[in-house]
Amino acid sequence: MAEEIRMIEKNQTWELVERPADRKIIRVKWVYRAKHNADGSLNKLKARLVIKGFSQKYGLDYLETFALVVRLDTIRLPEKCTDASQCNESERKALLEFKHSLQAMDFLGDDALSSWISEECCLWDGVYCSSFTGYVEMLDFGYQSLVVAGTVSPSLLKLHHLTSLNFSSNDFNGSLIPEFFGSLKNLILLDLSNANFRGPIPSQLGNLSMLETLRLGGNSRVFNVGKLEWLSHLSRLKEVDLSFTYLSNANDWSQIINHLPLLQKLNLRDCDLPSISSSSVSLTNSSTSLNTLDLSDNNLPSSAIYPWLFNVSSNLVSLDLSSNQLKGPIPDAFGNMMAIQELYLSDNLFILAENQVRGDSGKSIGQLSNLQVLRLAGNSFDGDVISEAHFSKFPNLQELDLSYTSLTLKFNTGWIPPFQLSQIKLCSCKLGPRFPDWLRTQMDFLLVLEYLDISASGISDSLPYWFWDSLHGLNFINMSFNQISGTFLNKSIAVRHLDLSSNNFSGPLPSFSSIFMESINLSKNKFTGSVSQICNITAELLELLDLSNNLFSGLVPDCFKRLWSLTALNLADNSFTGSLPSSLGFLTPLEMLSLRGNKFSGELPSSLQNCTKLKFLDLSDNELLLEQEAAAASFSRMLVWQVS
């Protein structure tokens, strides 16, 4: 990303100017790509900052990025299109009717459609017209955090060329999904996800015969009345998202899916799906298009889902079966999903069969060489031991989650994994007692590893010298609830989230150099000395600072003003002395403050009354001059407070 920004500045790609009053802003986004060699190995990581022009079309080239090259014989083409951007007057009036039927505010409470005043409606925020005809083709209000009151006007029916309607990630205040949406016959995309709609899904949506993308997910108060028969009429569908909608009566859901020949992505997470009947399985035709399937959080039993699943799984790239009621050994049939890249089986009731424990099952998931994401967290494998043999055929693995499985990972010293992970989640696995040296191979690769959780993993060892020198792009480190020892002399830590609690770390408080740190937990260790390093923390986003149950002493510096985002501060059970810093009063978001078990003296700073969000305050076991009645009056709004 930094290299891309440098090249943009060097080449003077863009010129910063004031925004003209009659022009709208086109946003930009980062696009990340991994470039691989012919043998599948990683060549390099690329980041490109691109403009979200939205001239591409869903289902055709919407997700593509490209660099425009102009040929001389096409320069004259825009001359023929100069009038095409003119706003069609009838469509302009239709849009104004739509605006006047509701009140749309942004997160500041201002009119979100304030740009809808000029004559050129194609320049209005959220409105996109054809560059050739000038007709409105897309209304996109996605991810603009609008709060909408009122109703959606049927005037949208006058936009006869509308192909894309996106209201996602806004707040429609529990409005019903309008039935007239089913009359927008040219729609290719309809996205109402995470927009706080409620009520039944209109069966009229089954009239949208051109529809390729339907997203209604994330509206927890939306439900389907009876069966999903209306969905079967949308034969062009390539993507369906009904996640978090209530489909308990849709006992035909698997049959309907079987009759969508072009379907590529299906999300039915947390829909309270009914079990699949044996009759629907017999009608199943193996799908050749479905590549992404999410059935998580539905409490589906193994007997209900396996026959149907393994008949439609030949080309699956991503499969999420997390949080169901899948029991017994992990079926060998998963090993037939040779295209699979992401496999989520967390929070089920799986066990490892004997051949899977040994790693010699010919069709086990260990044979899935294209696998990039493997999540088995929350299954009770009861201390089964797995070795490097189980991972020998995962050259492309990027994310590994075995948390809360009680697995023992027994790797030979000097083992070099065939993969390079970006996320390692091994909480409650047994890795110790030695600190796993194979982690060094994952941390030495520049800017790949982002997330490391080896908490409660039975490590009783000193932290190796190479660890803090290999952080690079790490954003999250959790090594809590081990017996890891070590000091941090001359080490500066730069991660977003750091949890080293319940270990044997000692020495002075480390320095923290990242301005993006959000949480620091060093509690229940053996750190000593002053905490003056707090004054060097420049992380204005820091929300949690926990230094409790250590051996810190001396004065707490009066420099909390810059940590104005803190919501929880815990300095309990140390040996701090002196008065409380008055700058604590600048921590207005503070909800939890524990200073218990120190030697603080003097009066309570009056500035603490500015912390109006405090819910928990513990000042007990100190030498503070504090009247109980005054304390009760000052902090009566709190749920819990302790001053004795």
Side-chain angles (χ1 to χ4, degrees), residues 11 35 79 93 97 122 124 152 187 285 289 310 312 314 348 402 426 437 475 477 499 517 536 558 567 603:
N11 297 327
K35 185 175 181 180
E79 296 177 2
K93 291 180 179 179
E97 286 183 48
C122 292
W124 294 352
V152 180
L187 278 187
N285 296 316
S289 58
F310 294 134
V312 300
S314 58
N348 281 285
L402 303 178
L426 301 176
D437 62 348
N475 286 324
I477 297 177
D499 191 347
M517 292 197 78
N536 296 326
D558 195 8
T567 60
E603 297 181 351

Side-chain angles (χ1 to χ4, degrees), residues 366-546:
Q367 310 301 312
L368 302 176
S369 59
N370 291 315
L371 205 60
Q372 297 179 9
V373 178
L374 177 60
R375 294 187 179 175
L376 299 174
N379 290 286
S380 297
F381 295 134
D382 294 329
D384 286 327
V385 178
I386 59 175
S387 66
E388 56 261 36
H390 293 82
F391 299 97
S392 61
K393 297 184 179 180
F394 289 155
N396 298 306
L397 196 63
Q398 297 176 15
E399 299 180 19
L400 177 64
D401 188 356
L402 303 178
S403 305
Y404 307 106
T405 59
S406 301
L407 281 169
T408 296
L409 276 61
K410 191 173 183 180
F411 300 144
N412 291 324
T413 302
W415 176 57
I416 300 178
F419 45 71
Q420 197 68 51
L421 298 175
S422 62
Q423 294 190 17
I424 300 174
K425 300 180 179 181
L426 301 176
C427 174
S428 296
C429 291
K430 186 174 181 181
L431 307 180
R434 297 290 304 275
F435 195 92
D437 62 348
W438 63 271
L439 287 178
R440 185 176 186 181
T441 67
Q442 307 301 295
M443 298 178 67
D444 279 348
F445 199 84
L446 186 62
L447 297 180
V448 173
L449 186 62
E450 299 176 352
Y451 192 109
L452 176 64
D453 186 351
I454 53 174
S455 58
S457 58
I459 300 175
S460 300
D461 198 3
S462 59
L463 195 67
Y465 70 91
W466 48 262
F467 186 85
W468 296 115
D469 294 329
S470 306
L471 289 182
H472 301 308
L474 261 172
N475 286 324
F476 183 100
I477 297 177
N478 188 351
M479 296 192 291
S480 62
F481 293 97
N482 286 289
Q483 295 296 317
I484 304 174
S485 60
T487 60
F488 298 85
L489 293 175
N490 302 318
K491 298 296 182 183
S492 182
I493 303 175
V495 293
R496 284 184 182 269
H497 301 274
L498 177 67
D499 191 347
L500 303 180
S501 61
S502 299
N503 278 285
N504 291 323
F505 290 109
S506 59
L509 180 67
S511 61
F512 304 100
S513 57
S514 174
I515 62 173
F516 301 110
M517 292 197 78
E518 297 179 26
S519 65
I520 300 172
N521 190 347
L522 304 182
S523 64
K524 298 182 181 178
N525 280 281
K526 299 177 181 178
F527 290 106
T528 59
S530 167
V531 292
S532 59
Q533 283 284 6
I534 290 177
C535 296
N536 296 326
I537 298 176
T538 58
E540 295 184 349
L541 300 177
L542 189 66
E543 296 183 357
L544 167 68
L545 179 60
D546 191 342

